[in-house]
Amino acid sequence: MAIISDIQEEQQQKTPETKSASASGSASASASSSGARVGATSFSTKFDRNNTSGFLEKALEFLAQESDFMRRPTAERDLVAIFKAVREKERKKMEEERKKRWAAEEEKKKKEAEVKAKEEAKAEPKVVEEKSGKRVPNKGNGLDMEKYSWTQSLQEVNIIIPVPAGTKSRDIVYEAKKNRLKFGLKGQPLIIDGELYQSIKPDDCLWSIEDQTAVSILLTKHNQLEWWKALLKGDPEIDTQKVEPEPSKLSDLDSETRQTVEKMMFDQRQKQMGLPTSEEMQKQEILKKFMSEHPEMDFSRAKIQ
């Protein structure tokens, strides 16, 4: 239902007298027969969402019958102005609702990121230490530290450092030299600051922010034939005999380097099983050949050095 009650020509009493009229025009007929109208006039009709033009037409007809609005020279211009004002009001309303939804979504993402960061910060790294005092490497052949974790291949070292959600590049403090690494956030104590376990190629190193919740640092090793026992000198060391390189990476190496890596992997497996390394096996073969050539000699006390 719609009510138009803004048409009032004269008020003769303190309490206005109201007359009702239906869309058929009974109210207008009564008003015209009685002369001057007193108080406000009501307008009623059904609103059909499928026929909004019909509703507007009836409303304008009622307005024409009950006032001189439609006879004014500015009537058309005034209607256009009213239409524009209503449309602008609706546009602002929709824009405001969109901004509220966007702000709510951003706030939700921010809270989820903060919760995730807190959980990761509270999570203590799983440390497995052997009798030798060296630690078992993580799945990436590195170690999980208190404030960061690092992994490695023969060619590179990758460091993952959790940072507060929304961290920007301008907030980062980073310096990589041949034998030293610094990393932290501006205005806070450095997270990493020390001498690297082995030298790197600074020009081939880089860092990036991952999902605005962590920083990834990639260091290129200078010596690409050895596993690092630690990221920084003085840090807890891993047992490199427990390192498990990815076999698929061997195909990326040249022939000489690949043979060296395969030999290292073989020797590590042999040591883990308490068996002789390739060098020890070679010495044994030489000794056996020498013994077969000199049966007259006593080799009962012979030892392989």
Side-chain angles (χ1 to χ4, degrees):
M1 301 293 288
I3 305 296
I4 299 179
S5 59
D6 295 334
I7 305 173
Q8 182 175 359
E9 295 183 354
E10 183 178 0
Q11 183 176 0
Q12 297 180 345
Q13 299 178 358
K14 291 183 180 180
T15 304
E17 179 181 354
T18 304
K19 295 191 294 180
S20 299
S22 64
S24 61
S26 58
S28 61
S30 175
S32 59
S33 61
S34 59
R37 290 180 294 275
V38 179
T41 304
S42 298
F43 165 75
S44 65
T45 188
K46 291 183 178 180
F47 176 69
D48 185 357
R49 293 180 180 273
N50 298 321
N51 186 20
T52 54
S53 298
F55 174 81
L56 289 173
E57 184 178 354
K58 289 184 178 180
L60 292 174
E61 288 177 354
F62 176 78
L63 189 62
Q65 292 174 1
E66 296 298 321
S67 71
D68 62 348
F69 179 83
M70 300 301 289
R71 294 189 295 274
R72 297 175 188 173
T74 61
E76 184 175 348
R77 186 178 61 191
D78 292 345
L79 286 173
V80 172
I82 292 171
F83 170 77
K84 289 182 177 180
V86 172
R87 185 168 62 177
E88 179 64 16
K89 183 178 180 181
E90 185 65 18
R91 187 193 66 79
K92 289 182 178 180
K93 179 181 178 182
M94 293 177 65
E95 180 68 15
E96 188 67 24
E97 290 176 352
R98 187 190 67 80
K99 288 182 179 179
K100 288 181 179 179
R101 288 196 301 269
W102 180 83
E105 290 175 359
E106 288 297 311
E107 184 67 20
K108 182 180 178 181
K109 290 179 181 179
K110 183 178 178 181
K111 288 182 179 180
E112 290 176 350
E114 289 176 352
V115 171
K116 183 179 178 181
K118 288 181 181 179
E119 290 177 351
E120 291 178 350
K122 290 180 180 179
E124 296 182 358
K126 185 179 180 181
V127 177
V128 180
E129 192 167 335
E130 297 182 330
K131 294 180 180 180
S132 62
K134 295 182 179 180
R135 297 182 180 180
V136 176
N138 57 24
K139 292 181 180 180
N141 298 323
L143 195 62
D144 297 325
M145 306 295 286
E146 182 180 355
K147 295 183 178 180
Y148 61 89
S149 65
W150 65 276
T151 58
Q152 65 173 321
S153 64
L154 280 170
Q155 297 81 27
E156 300 169 337
V157 173
N158 188 46
I159 310 167
I160 300 296
I161 310 158
V163 295
T167 297
K168 306 295 183 182
S169 299
R170 60 177 177 271
D171 303 322
I172 301 299
V173 176
Y174 168 83
E175 183 181 20
K177 295 183 178 181
K178 183 178 179 181
N179 296 301
R180 193 171 188 85
L181 177 66
K182 288 184 180 181
F183 176 84
L185 300 176
K186 290 182 179 178
Q188 300 182 27
L190 292 173
I191 298 173
I192 299 175
D193 182 17
E195 185 178 357
L196 293 167
Y197 185 78
Q198 288 192 19
S199 61
I200 59 173
K201 300 178 181 179
D203 293 340
D204 295 336
C205 300
L206 54 90
W207 64 271
S208 62
I209 298 177
E210 307 291 340
D211 300 326
Q212 294 189 331
T213 58
V215 172
S216 174
I217 302 177
L218 183 67
L219 306 178
T220 301
K221 294 181 179 179
H222 188 270
N223 181 353
Q224 301 188 349
L225 296 177
E226 292 185 16
W227 298 103
W228 286 17
K229 294 182 180 180
L231 177 65
L232 304 176
K233 289 184 178 180
D235 280 356
E237 295 186 357
I238 64 170
D239 185 355
T240 53
Q241 293 185 12
K242 301 291 185 180
V243 167
E244 297 180 1
E246 299 179 18
S248 59
K249 296 294 183 181
L250 295 177
S251 60
D252 300 333
L253 304 176
D254 57 74
S255 177
E256 183 179 354
T257 305
R258 180 173 179 175
Q259 289 177 4
T260 304
V261 174
E262 289 176 341
K263 179 179 177 296
M264 291 171 56
M265 294 171 60
F266 174 80
D267 289 344
Q268 287 180 3
R269 287 195 296 267
Q270 290 294 97
K271 287 181 180 180
Q272 291 176 7
M273 295 185 290
L275 300 175
T277 63
S278 57
E279 185 177 353
E280 292 170 344
M281 291 172 66
Q282 186 178 6
K283 289 180 179 180
Q284 288 178 357
E285 288 297 324
I286 294 173
L287 178 61
K288 286 180 181 179
K289 183 178 180 181
F290 185 79
M291 290 172 63
S292 64
E293 293 176 351
H294 302 277
E296 73 281 1
M297 296 181 65
D298 181 13
F299 295 94
S300 59
R301 296 185 179 181
K303 293 182 179 180
I304 300 176
Q305 300 295 331

